[in-house]
Amino acid sequence: MVVDARRRVLQCASAGCGYRTDRLPTPEAVRDAAVTHLGQHAQRERLAAHLRSCNCRTAGCAWHVGSRSCTGQIVLVLFRSPGGRSWHLADACETCAGAIPHAARVPMRGPVTVATPEPVRRRPRGGEARSVAEQQAAARAALAYTAASLPPGVSGEARLLAVVCALRVRPTGLAPLPLGITRTLRLRAPAGALAELQEARWLHYLGRPCGGPAAFVPELAGTPGRKRAGQWALQLLADRRTIVLPAPTRLAALAVSAAEDRHGEAFLLDPEGTARSCGLDEKAFEDALADVSTAGVLADWYPLPSGLLLCSLARAGPRRGGG
């Protein structure tokens, strides 16, 4: 949440939100509007326990002084930048939450680590039909989870495969990886990507005689089935426009496309946070955006004085339908 104290105007930096106020009468009104709007995000965007991670660690513990070991439960914290220009609502471990200046824990009613499931339409042949908005949210969560859980130095192909596994994992912790998936993704070295993730102990590859090959992701065991949540992401990653791009650039295309709120409308993007979710620094992410634009996924993008990017996607893209 970006605050223009001089004009007393708020602008939300959350991907796809677009919330912006007119001039507010008093500084207190600015504070109340910021807290109210961030609270609405907290209620609408609860994540399942397995997708919650310390966002401070993902940012390199840049929100507080000194390097600390992330410990304790994940809590929701509200904090402002030292100058008061921006307000943030984020998950953090208890250690980081206690070290972030100007931070307060946000009490949540009920089990904050589990999202309340909404009724979904059932398909005749199994699986859950999910709206594109739900699949976009799942893609954003998978990108955030892999950014926090993968070690530094993991290749782009290994990161892309990890995102796909996170989207396809079943309650058993198994993410089916039939040969058709790796062929569809056209990974240059799928065996090498799997080996990287196994060496990092992020997953265990199982060449099962029955049921086909799968990856076992220990940290995601016990989570709701999400196979259908990955269909939209797979379609984008294997799109004819993106399939020729390097894996990190394809992840950037996925991250940008998942940030669109209303189909066909411009949306705001946080370049720093989105770059981290793709395993890129900001300069590499800027180069990736240029390639995504050249490929015809991103129609236009330009920086705003707030540091955010105003983006619009090209009209041609993955089918806007569930599953």
Side-chain angles (χ1 to χ4, degrees), residues 148-213:
S149 59
L150 288 173
V154 169
S155 70
E157 287 206 344
R159 187 176 295 275
L160 188 151
L161 188 59
V163 169
V164 171
C165 287
L167 284 168
R168 291 177 58 81
V169 74
R170 293 176 176 175
T172 57
L174 290 177
L177 283 179
L179 292 178
I181 291 290
T182 53
R183 287 172 181 167
T184 298
L185 293 172
R186 292 192 193 176
L187 300 178
R188 290 190 176 92
L194 277 170
E196 280 189 71
L197 296 176
Q198 288 194 101
E199 186 177 349
R201 297 185 177 181
W202 194 86
L203 59 71
H204 304 286
Y205 183 66
L206 306 174
R208 300 179 298 167
C210 299

Coordinates of all heavy atoms in Angstrom, one line a residue, residues 148-213:
A148 N 10.4 -19.2 -1.7 CA 10.8 -19.2 -0.3 C 11.5 -20.6 0.1 O 12.3 -20.6 1.0 CB 9.6 -19.0 0.6
S149 N 11.1 -21.6 -0.7 CA 11.6 -23.0 -0.2 C 12.8 -23.5 -1.0 O 13.5 -24.4 -0.5 CB 10.4 -24.0 -0.3 OG 9.9 -24.0 -1.6
L150 N 13.0 -23.0 -2.2 CA 14.1 -23.5 -3.0 C 15.4 -22.8 -2.6 O 15.4 -21.6 -2.3 CB 13.9 -23.3 -4.5 CG 12.8 -24.1 -5.2 CD1 12.6 -23.7 -6.6 CD2 13.3 -25.6 -5.2
P151 N 16.5 -23.5 -2.6 CA 17.8 -22.9 -2.3 C 18.3 -21.9 -3.4 O 17.9 -22.1 -4.5 CB 18.8 -24.1 -2.1 CG 18.2 -25.1 -2.9 CD 16.7 -24.9 -2.9
P152 N 19.2 -21.0 -3.1 CA 19.7 -20.1 -4.1 C 20.5 -21.0 -5.1 O 21.1 -22.0 -4.8 CB 20.7 -19.2 -3.3 CG 20.2 -19.3 -1.9 CD 19.7 -20.6 -1.7
G153 N 20.6 -20.5 -6.3 CA 21.4 -21.2 -7.3 C 20.7 -22.2 -8.1 O 21.3 -22.8 -9.0
V154 N 19.4 -22.5 -7.8 CA 18.7 -23.5 -8.5 C 18.4 -23.0 -10.0 O 18.1 -21.8 -10.1 CB 17.3 -23.8 -7.8 CG1 16.4 -24.7 -8.7 CG2 17.6 -24.6 -6.5
S155 N 18.6 -23.9 -10.9 CA 18.4 -23.4 -12.3 C 17.0 -23.0 -12.6 O 16.0 -23.4 -11.9 CB 18.9 -24.5 -13.3 OG 17.9 -25.6 -13.2
G156 N 16.8 -22.3 -13.7 CA 15.5 -21.9 -14.1 C 14.6 -23.1 -14.5 O 13.4 -23.1 -14.1
E157 N 15.1 -24.1 -15.1 CA 14.3 -25.3 -15.4 C 13.9 -26.0 -14.2 O 12.7 -26.5 -14.1 CB 15.1 -26.2 -16.4 CG 15.2 -25.7 -17.8 CD 15.4 -26.8 -18.8 OE1 15.7 -27.9 -18.4 OE2 15.2 -26.5 -20.0
A158 N 14.8 -26.2 -13.2 CA 14.4 -26.8 -11.9 C 13.3 -26.0 -11.2 O 12.4 -26.6 -10.7 CB 15.6 -27.0 -11.0
R159 N 13.4 -24.7 -11.2 CA 12.4 -23.8 -10.6 C 11.1 -24.0 -11.3 O 10.0 -24.0 -10.6 CB 12.9 -22.4 -10.6 CG 12.0 -21.4 -9.8 CD 12.6 -20.0 -9.8 NE 13.9 -20.0 -9.1 CZ 14.0 -19.9 -7.8 NH1 12.9 -19.7 -7.0 NH2 15.2 -19.9 -7.2
L160 N 11.1 -24.0 -12.6 CA 9.8 -24.1 -13.4 C 9.2 -25.5 -13.1 O 8.0 -25.5 -12.8 CB 10.1 -24.0 -14.9 CG 8.9 -24.0 -15.8 CD1 9.3 -23.2 -17.1 CD2 8.5 -25.4 -16.2
L161 N 10.0 -26.5 -13.0 CA 9.4 -27.9 -12.7 C 8.9 -27.9 -11.2 O 7.8 -28.5 -11.0 CB 10.5 -28.9 -12.8 CG 10.1 -30.4 -12.7 CD1 9.0 -30.7 -13.8 CD2 11.3 -31.3 -12.9
A162 N 9.5 -27.2 -10.3 CA 9.0 -27.1 -8.9 C 7.7 -26.4 -8.9 O 6.8 -26.8 -8.1 CB 10.1 -26.4 -8.1
V163 N 7.5 -25.3 -9.6 CA 6.2 -24.6 -9.7 C 5.1 -25.6 -10.2 O 4.0 -25.6 -9.6 CB 6.3 -23.4 -10.5 CG1 5.0 -22.8 -10.8 CG2 7.2 -22.3 -9.9
V164 N 5.4 -26.3 -11.2 CA 4.4 -27.3 -11.8 C 4.1 -28.3 -10.7 O 2.9 -28.7 -10.5 CB 5.0 -27.9 -13.1 CG1 4.1 -29.0 -13.5 CG2 5.1 -26.9 -14.2
C165 N 5.1 -28.8 -10.0 CA 4.8 -29.8 -9.0 C 4.0 -29.3 -7.9 O 3.0 -29.9 -7.4 CB 6.2 -30.4 -8.4 SG 7.1 -31.4 -9.5
A166 N 4.3 -28.0 -7.5 CA 3.5 -27.4 -6.4 C 2.0 -27.2 -6.8 O 1.1 -27.3 -6.0 CB 4.1 -26.1 -6.0
L167 N 1.8 -27.0 -8.1 CA 0.4 -26.8 -8.6 C -0.3 -28.2 -8.8 O -1.6 -28.2 -8.8 CB 0.4 -26.1 -9.9 CG 0.7 -24.6 -9.8 CD1 1.0 -24.0 -11.2 CD2 -0.5 -23.9 -9.2
R168 N 0.4 -29.3 -8.9 CA -0.2 -30.6 -9.2 C -0.2 -31.5 -8.1 O -0.8 -32.6 -8.2 CB 0.5 -31.2 -10.4 CG 0.4 -30.5 -11.7 CD 1.2 -31.2 -12.8 NE 0.8 -32.6 -13.0 CZ -0.2 -33.1 -13.7 NH1 -1.1 -32.2 -14.2 NH2 -0.5 -34.4 -13.8
V169 N 0.3 -31.1 -6.9 CA 0.4 -32.0 -5.8 C -0.9 -32.5 -5.3 O -1.9 -31.7 -5.3 CB 1.3 -31.4 -4.7 CG1 0.4 -30.3 -3.9 CG2 1.8 -32.4 -3.7
R170 N -1.0 -33.7 -4.8 CA -2.2 -34.3 -4.3 C -2.1 -34.4 -2.7 O -1.0 -34.2 -2.2 CB -2.4 -35.7 -4.9 CG -2.7 -35.6 -6.4 CD -2.8 -37.0 -7.0 NE -3.3 -36.9 -8.4 CZ -3.3 -38.0 -9.2 NH1 -3.0 -39.2 -8.7 NH2 -3.7 -37.9 -10.4
P171 N -3.1 -34.8 -2.0 CA -3.1 -34.8 -0.6 C -2.0 -35.8 -0.1 O -1.5 -35.6 1.0 CB -4.5 -35.3 -0.2 CG -5.4 -34.8 -1.3 CD -4.5 -34.9 -2.5
T172 N -1.6 -36.8 -0.9 CA -0.6 -37.7 -0.5 C 0.8 -37.1 -0.5 O 1.8 -37.7 -0.1 CB -0.6 -39.0 -1.4 OG1 -0.4 -38.5 -2.7 CG2 -1.9 -39.7 -1.2
G173 N 0.9 -35.9 -1.1 CA 2.2 -35.3 -1.3 C 2.8 -35.7 -2.7 O 3.9 -35.2 -3.0
L174 N 2.1 -36.5 -3.5 CA 2.6 -36.9 -4.8 C 2.1 -36.0 -5.8 O 0.9 -35.6 -5.9 CB 2.0 -38.3 -5.1 CG 2.7 -39.5 -4.3 CD1 2.0 -40.8 -4.7 CD2 4.2 -39.6 -4.6
A175 N 3.0 -35.6 -6.7 CA 2.6 -34.7 -7.9 C 2.9 -35.6 -9.1 O 4.1 -35.8 -9.4 CB 3.5 -33.5 -7.9
P176 N 1.9 -36.0 -9.8 CA 2.1 -36.9 -11.0 C 2.9 -36.1 -12.0 O 2.7 -35.0 -12.3 CB 0.6 -37.1 -11.5 CG -0.2 -36.9 -10.3 CD 0.4 -35.8 -9.5
L177 N 3.9 -36.8 -12.6 CA 4.7 -36.3 -13.6 C 4.8 -37.2 -14.8 O 5.9 -37.8 -15.1 CB 6.2 -36.0 -13.1 CG 6.3 -34.8 -12.2 CD1 7.8 -34.7 -11.7 CD2 5.9 -33.5 -12.9
P178 N 3.7 -37.4 -15.5 CA 3.8 -38.3 -16.7 C 4.7 -37.7 -17.7 O 5.0 -36.5 -17.7 CB 2.3 -38.3 -17.2 CG 1.7 -37.0 -16.6 CD 2.4 -36.8 -15.3
L179 N 5.2 -38.5 -18.6 CA 6.1 -38.0 -19.6 C 5.5 -36.9 -20.5 O 6.2 -36.0 -21.0 CB 6.5 -39.2 -20.5 CG 7.4 -40.3 -19.9 CD1 7.7 -41.4 -20.9 CD2 8.7 -39.7 -19.4
G180 N 4.2 -37.0 -20.6 CA 3.5 -35.9 -21.4 C 3.7 -34.5 -20.8 O 3.8 -33.6 -21.6
I181 N 3.8 -34.4 -19.5 CA 4.0 -33.1 -18.9 C 5.4 -32.5 -19.3 O 5.5 -31.4 -19.7 CB 3.9 -33.2 -17.3 CG1 2.4 -33.5 -17.0 CG2 4.4 -31.9 -16.7 CD1 1.5 -32.4 -17.2
T182 N 6.4 -33.3 -19.1 CA 7.8 -32.8 -19.4 C 7.9 -32.6 -20.9 O 8.6 -31.7 -21.3 CB 8.9 -33.8 -18.9 OG1 8.6 -35.1 -19.4 CG2 8.9 -33.9 -17.4
R183 N 7.3 -33.4 -21.7 CA 7.3 -33.1 -23.1 C 6.6 -31.9 -23.5 O 7.0 -31.1 -24.3 CB 6.7 -34.3 -23.9 CG 7.6 -35.6 -23.9 CD 6.9 -36.7 -24.5 NE 7.7 -37.9 -24.5 CZ 7.2 -39.2 -24.7 NH1 5.9 -39.4 -25.0 NH2 8.1 -40.2 -24.7
T184 N 5.4 -31.6 -22.9 CA 4.7 -30.4 -23.1 C 5.5 -29.2 -22.7 O 5.5 -28.2 -23.4 CB 3.4 -30.5 -22.3 OG1 2.6 -31.6 -22.8 CG2 2.6 -29.2 -22.5
L185 N 6.2 -29.3 -21.6 CA 7.0 -28.1 -21.1 C 8.3 -27.9 -22.0 O 8.9 -26.9 -21.9 CB 7.4 -28.3 -19.7 CG 6.2 -28.3 -18.7 CD1 6.7 -28.7 -17.3 CD2 5.6 -26.9 -18.6
R186 N 8.7 -29.0 -22.7 CA 9.9 -28.9 -23.5 C 11.1 -28.5 -22.8 O 11.9 -27.6 -23.2 CB 9.7 -28.0 -24.7 CG 8.7 -28.5 -25.7 CD 8.7 -27.7 -27.0 NE 7.6 -28.0 -27.9 CZ 7.3 -27.4 -29.0 NH1 8.1 -26.4 -29.4 NH2 6.2 -27.7 -29.7
L187 N 11.3 -29.1 -21.6 CA 12.5 -28.8 -20.8 C 13.7 -29.4 -21.6 O 13.7 -30.5 -22.1 CB 12.4 -29.4 -19.4 CG 11.2 -28.9 -18.6 CD1 11.2 -29.7 -17.2 CD2 11.3 -27.5 -18.3
R188 N 14.8 -28.6 -21.6 CA 16.0 -29.1 -22.3 C 16.6 -30.3 -21.6 O 17.1 -31.2 -22.2 CB 17.0 -28.0 -22.4 CG 16.6 -26.9 -23.4 CD 17.8 -25.9 -23.6 NE 17.4 -24.9 -24.6 CZ 16.9 -23.7 -24.3 NH1 16.7 -23.4 -23.0 NH2 16.6 -22.8 -25.2
A189 N 16.6 -30.3 -20.2 CA 17.2 -31.3 -19.4 C 16.3 -31.7 -18.3 O 16.6 -31.3 -17.1 CB 18.6 -30.9 -19.0
P190 N 15.2 -32.3 -18.5 CA 14.3 -32.7 -17.4 C 14.9 -33.5 -16.3 O 14.6 -33.3 -15.1 CB 13.1 -33.4 -18.1 CG 13.6 -33.9 -19.4 CD 14.7 -32.8 -19.8
A191 N 15.8 -34.5 -16.7 CA 16.4 -35.3 -15.7 C 17.4 -34.5 -14.8 O 17.4 -34.7 -13.6 CB 17.2 -36.4 -16.4
G192 N 18.0 -33.5 -15.4 CA 18.9 -32.6 -14.6 C 18.1 -31.8 -13.7 O 18.6 -31.5 -12.5
A193 N 16.9 -31.3 -14.1 CA 16.1 -30.5 -13.2 C 15.6 -31.3 -12.1 O 15.6 -30.8 -10.9 CB 14.9 -29.9 -14.0
L194 N 15.2 -32.5 -12.3 CA 14.8 -33.4 -11.2 C 15.9 -33.7 -10.3 O 15.7 -33.7 -9.0 CB 14.2 -34.7 -11.8 CG 12.8 -34.7 -12.3 CD1 12.5 -36.0 -13.0 CD2 11.8 -34.5 -11.1
A195 N 17.1 -33.9 -10.8 CA 18.3 -34.2 -10.0 C 18.6 -33.0 -9.1 O 18.9 -33.2 -7.9 CB 19.5 -34.5 -10.8
E196 N 18.4 -31.8 -9.6 CA 18.7 -30.6 -8.8 C 17.7 -30.5 -7.6 O 18.1 -30.2 -6.5 CB 18.5 -29.3 -9.6 CG 19.7 -29.0 -10.5 CD 19.5 -27.6 -11.1 OE1 19.6 -26.6 -10.4 OE2 19.3 -27.5 -12.3
L197 N 16.4 -30.8 -7.9 CA 15.4 -30.7 -6.8 C 15.6 -31.8 -5.8 O 15.3 -31.6 -4.6 CB 14.0 -30.7 -7.5 CG 13.7 -29.5 -8.4 CD1 12.3 -29.7 -9.0 CD2 13.7 -28.2 -7.6
Q198 N 16.0 -33.0 -6.3 CA 16.3 -34.1 -5.3 C 17.5 -33.8 -4.5 O 17.5 -34.0 -3.3 CB 16.5 -35.4 -6.1 CG 15.3 -35.9 -6.7 CD 15.4 -37.4 -7.2 OE1 15.0 -38.3 -6.5 NE2 16.1 -37.6 -8.3
E199 N 18.6 -33.2 -5.1 CA 19.8 -32.9 -4.3 C 19.5 -31.8 -3.3 O 20.0 -31.8 -2.2 CB 20.9 -32.4 -5.3 CG 22.2 -32.1 -4.6 CD 23.3 -31.7 -5.6 OE1 23.0 -31.8 -6.8 OE2 24.3 -31.3 -5.2
A200 N 18.6 -30.9 -3.6 CA 18.2 -29.9 -2.6 C 17.2 -30.4 -1.6 O 16.7 -29.7 -0.7 CB 17.5 -28.7 -3.4
R201 N 16.8 -31.7 -1.8 CA 15.8 -32.3 -0.9 C 14.4 -31.6 -0.9 O 13.7 -31.6 0.1 CB 16.3 -32.4 0.5 CG 17.6 -33.3 0.7 CD 18.0 -33.4 2.1 NE 19.2 -34.3 2.2 CZ 19.8 -34.6 3.3 NH1 19.4 -34.2 4.5 NH2 20.9 -35.4 3.3
W202 N 14.2 -31.0 -2.0 CA 12.9 -30.4 -2.2 C 11.8 -31.4 -2.6 O 10.6 -31.3 -2.3 CB 13.0 -29.3 -3.3 CG 11.8 -28.4 -3.3 CD1 11.6 -27.2 -2.5 CD2 10.6 -28.5 -4.1 NE1 10.4 -26.6 -2.8 CE2 9.8 -27.4 -3.7 CE3 10.2 -29.4 -5.0 CZ2 8.5 -27.2 -4.4 CZ3 8.9 -29.2 -5.6 CH2 8.1 -28.1 -5.3
L203 N 12.2 -32.5 -3.3 CA 11.3 -33.5 -3.7 C 12.1 -34.8 -3.8 O 13.3 -34.9 -3.8 CB 10.6 -33.2 -5.0 CG 11.4 -33.0 -6.3 CD1 12.0 -34.2 -6.9 CD2 10.4 -32.4 -7.4
H204 N 11.3 -35.9 -3.9 CA 11.9 -37.2 -4.2 C 11.2 -37.8 -5.4 O 9.9 -37.9 -5.4 CB 11.7 -38.2 -3.0 CG 12.3 -37.6 -1.7 ND1 13.6 -37.6 -1.5 CD2 11.7 -37.1 -0.6 CE1 13.8 -37.1 -0.3 NE2 12.7 -36.7 0.2
Y205 N 11.9 -38.2 -6.4 CA 11.3 -38.7 -7.7 C 11.1 -40.2 -7.5 O 11.9 -41.0 -7.1 CB 12.3 -38.5 -8.9 CG 11.7 -38.9 -10.2 CD1 10.6 -38.3 -10.7 CD2 12.2 -40.0 -10.9 CE1 10.0 -38.7 -11.9 CE2 11.7 -40.4 -12.1 CZ 10.6 -39.7 -12.6 OH 10.0 -40.1 -13.8
L206 N 9.9 -40.6 -7.9 CA 9.4 -42.0 -7.7 C 9.1 -42.5 -9.1 O 8.1 -42.1 -9.7 CB 8.2 -42.1 -6.8 CG 8.4 -41.5 -5.4 CD1 7.1 -41.5 -4.7 CD2 9.5 -42.2 -4.6
G207 N 9.8 -43.5 -9.6 CA 9.5 -44.2 -10.8 C 8.6 -45.3 -10.6 O 9.0 -46.5 -10.5
R208 N 7.3 -45.1 -10.3 CA 6.4 -46.1 -9.8 C 6.0 -47.1 -11.0 O 5.7 -46.6 -12.1 CB 5.1 -45.5 -9.2 CG 5.4 -44.6 -8.1 CD 4.1 -44.0 -7.5 NE 3.5 -43.1 -8.6 CZ 2.2 -42.7 -8.5 NH1 1.5 -43.0 -7.5 NH2 1.7 -41.9 -9.5
P209 N 6.0 -48.4 -10.7 CA 5.6 -49.3 -11.7 C 4.1 -49.2 -12.0 O 3.6 -49.5 -13.1 CB 5.9 -50.7 -11.1 CG 5.9 -50.5 -9.7 CD 6.4 -49.1 -9.5
C210 N 3.3 -48.8 -11.1 CA 1.8 -48.6 -11.2 C 1.5 -47.1 -11.0 O 2.0 -46.5 -10.1 CB 1.0 -49.4 -10.3 SG 1.3 -51.2 -10.4
G211 N 0.7 -46.6 -11.9 CA 0.3 -45.2 -11.7 C 1.2 -44.2 -12.4 O 0.9 -43.0 -12.4
G212 N 2.4 -44.6 -12.9 CA 3.2 -43.7 -13.6 C 4.2 -42.9 -12.7 O 4.0 -42.9 -11.5
P213 N 5.2 -42.2 -13.2 CA 6.1 -41.5 -12.4 C 5.5 -40.3 -11.7 O 4.5 -39.8 -12.1 CB 7.2 -41.1 -13.4 CG 6.5 -41.0 -14.7 CD 5.5 -42.1 -14.7

